[in-house]
Amino acid sequence: QKEVEQNSGPLSVPEGAIASLNCTYSDRGSQSFFWYRQYSGKSPELIMFIYSNGDKEDGRFTAQLNKASQYVSLLIRDSQPSDSATYLCAAKDNYGQNFVFGPGTRLSVLP
Amino acid sequence: EPEVTQTPSHQVTQMGQEVILRCVPISNHLYFYWYRQILGQKVEFLVSFYNNEISEKSEIFDDQFSVERPDGSNFTLKIRSTKLEDSAMYFCASSEGRPSSGNTIYFGEGSWLTVV
């Protein structure tokens, strides 16, 4: 059974701080990893994806991947209240077409 | 910006009735998906569709469910004989190519199904 685990939170950070969101996955065959943001009652919105070990930066967001530890993280710098949402981690292998989603971490950025 | 559109946004149906959820994927996308999210739970894969046939499906996608691409633009999910536990947000999604490091999936706004 392929599983993606996330701390459900809520994770509370003050405005301007760095928010660190973590995700682990069980399937060593997973090759691509995606971070989605989901506001309450809305659809998941892609933030970024990563498939190589190391860091990948896009604006205020940095994704980190460590395949040996089966660990993915998302850092949000200069957090804003508008970043308050649930962040979904998803993993995919190279063979199937479905994404396996984690339960999401609820982030609350306090003004 | 191109987007996946879904209708209806919200549907209430009686238990045992049939429901059809409709989706218009992004026009140049070739892979289509249905996911669902029960309130407060994780997003779950139902089915993927490519080249006019199901390419992958989950254990959730049993005989109660079917998908169809009736024309060149629409992609539908039919749920027969709905049960209370089918109440969820159903997301349609599409991707340009096979999901991989270069292709990701884009979600529609969802259809919220309530079975009473």
Side-chain angles (χ1 to χ4, degrees), chain A:
Chain A
Q1 182 82 348
K2 300 175 184 178
E3 296 283 345
V4 174
E5 300 293 338
Q6 295 178 257
N7 188 324
S8 62
L11 172 66
S12 296
V13 300
E15 184 174 356
I18 295 176
S20 177
L21 304 161
N22 305 316
C23 169
T24 59
Y25 58 95
S26 64
D27 181 17
R28 284 200 172 273
S30 297
Q31 296 293 322
S32 304
F33 305 90
F34 301 79
W35 282 101
Y36 283 84
R37 177 174 62 198
Q38 187 177 30
Y39 293 109
S40 181
K42 299 295 186 180
S43 63
E45 173 191 10
L46 178 69
I47 298 175
M48 62 191 306
F49 64 87
I50 186 169
Y51 52 90
S52 298
N53 274 329
D55 295 0
K56 179 181 179 183
E57 187 173 319
D58 184 1
R60 294 188 295 116
F61 300 97
T62 299
Q64 299 173 316
L65 173 60
N66 184 326
K67 289 187 179 180
S69 300
Q70 296 177 234
Y71 175 87
V72 194
S73 67
L74 179 70
L75 301 177
I76 307 175
R77 286 181 298 281
D78 188 24
S79 297
Q80 302 297 311
S82 57
D83 294 327
S84 298
T86 297
Y87 288 80
L88 309 177
C89 173
K92 206 200 81 64
D93 60 31
N94 275 346
Y95 306 103
Q97 293 171 20
N98 65 312
F99 285 36
V100 178
F101 281 86
T105 297
R106 191 155 52 92
L107 172 66
S108 178
V109 180
L110 307 173

Side-chain angles (χ1 to χ4, degrees), chain B residues 20-38:
Chain B
I20 297 177
L21 305 178
R22 292 182 168 80
C23 169
V24 179
I26 295 173
S27 62
N28 64 330
H29 285 189
L30 301 177
Y31 290 79
F32 315 121
Y33 315 85
W34 284 101
Y35 284 77
R36 80 171 184 190
Q37 187 175 30
I38 296 171

Side-chain angles (χ1 to χ4, degrees), chain B residues 15-62:
Chain B
M15 194 167 51
Q17 296 297 305
E18 177 181 283
V19 164
I20 297 177
L21 305 178
R22 292 182 168 80
C23 169
V24 179
I26 295 173
S27 62
N28 64 330
H29 285 189
L30 301 177
Y31 290 79
F32 315 121
Y33 315 85
W34 284 101
Y35 284 77
R36 80 171 184 190
Q37 187 175 30
I38 296 171
L39 186 63
Q41 298 187 24
K42 64 174 68 176
V43 176
E44 300 174 292
F45 170 76
L46 294 179
V47 66
S48 61
F49 191 87
Y50 170 72
N51 201 26
N52 285 320
E53 61 182 20
I54 291 173
S55 48
E56 191 170 341
K57 61 182 181 179
S58 71
E59 293 176 351
I60 302 169
F61 194 88
D62 57 21

